[in-house]
């Protein structure tokens, strides 16, 4: 009885993992727009010659933890 229960749980988990890994939309228009947006952002960074980042003053630095 325990073996059947374990087998059922493993089977259910396997099906859940496989369903979660399933592919989404393969629409070419959405894939192209994502790629174009990334290329556009990259060209802006290259044009500026630098990447500007913001930090939160209430978040401790990593060096202060060690």
């Amino acid at each position: 009885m325990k073996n059947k229960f374990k087998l059922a749980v493993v089977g259910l988990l396997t099906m859940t993992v496989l369903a979660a890994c399933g592919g989404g939309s393969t629409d070419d228009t959405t894939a192209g727009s994502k790629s174009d947006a990334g290329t556009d952002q990259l060209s802006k960074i290259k044009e500026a010659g630098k990447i500007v980042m913001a930090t939160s003053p209430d978040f401790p630095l990593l060096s202060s933890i060690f």
Side-chain angles (χ1 to χ4, degrees):
M1 187 69 179
K2 287 184 181 182
N3 288 337
K4 288 184 180 181
F5 179 72
K6 288 180 183 179
L7 185 61
V9 169
V10 169
L12 183 63
L13 288 174
T14 303
M15 289 179 10
T16 303
V17 169
L18 290 175
C21 293
S25 173
T26 58
D27 189 13
D28 290 338
T29 58
T30 58
S33 64
K34 288 180 185 177
S35 177
D36 294 340
T39 305
D40 184 41
Q41 191 70 18
L42 179 61
S43 64
K44 288 180 182 179
I45 293 170
K46 286 183 176 181
E47 184 179 313
K50 60 183 176 182
I51 298 175
V52 179
M53 294 178 51
T55 59
S56 177
D58 58 339
F59 188 76
L61 298 174
L62 184 61
S63 60
S64 66
I65 296 173
F66 296 108

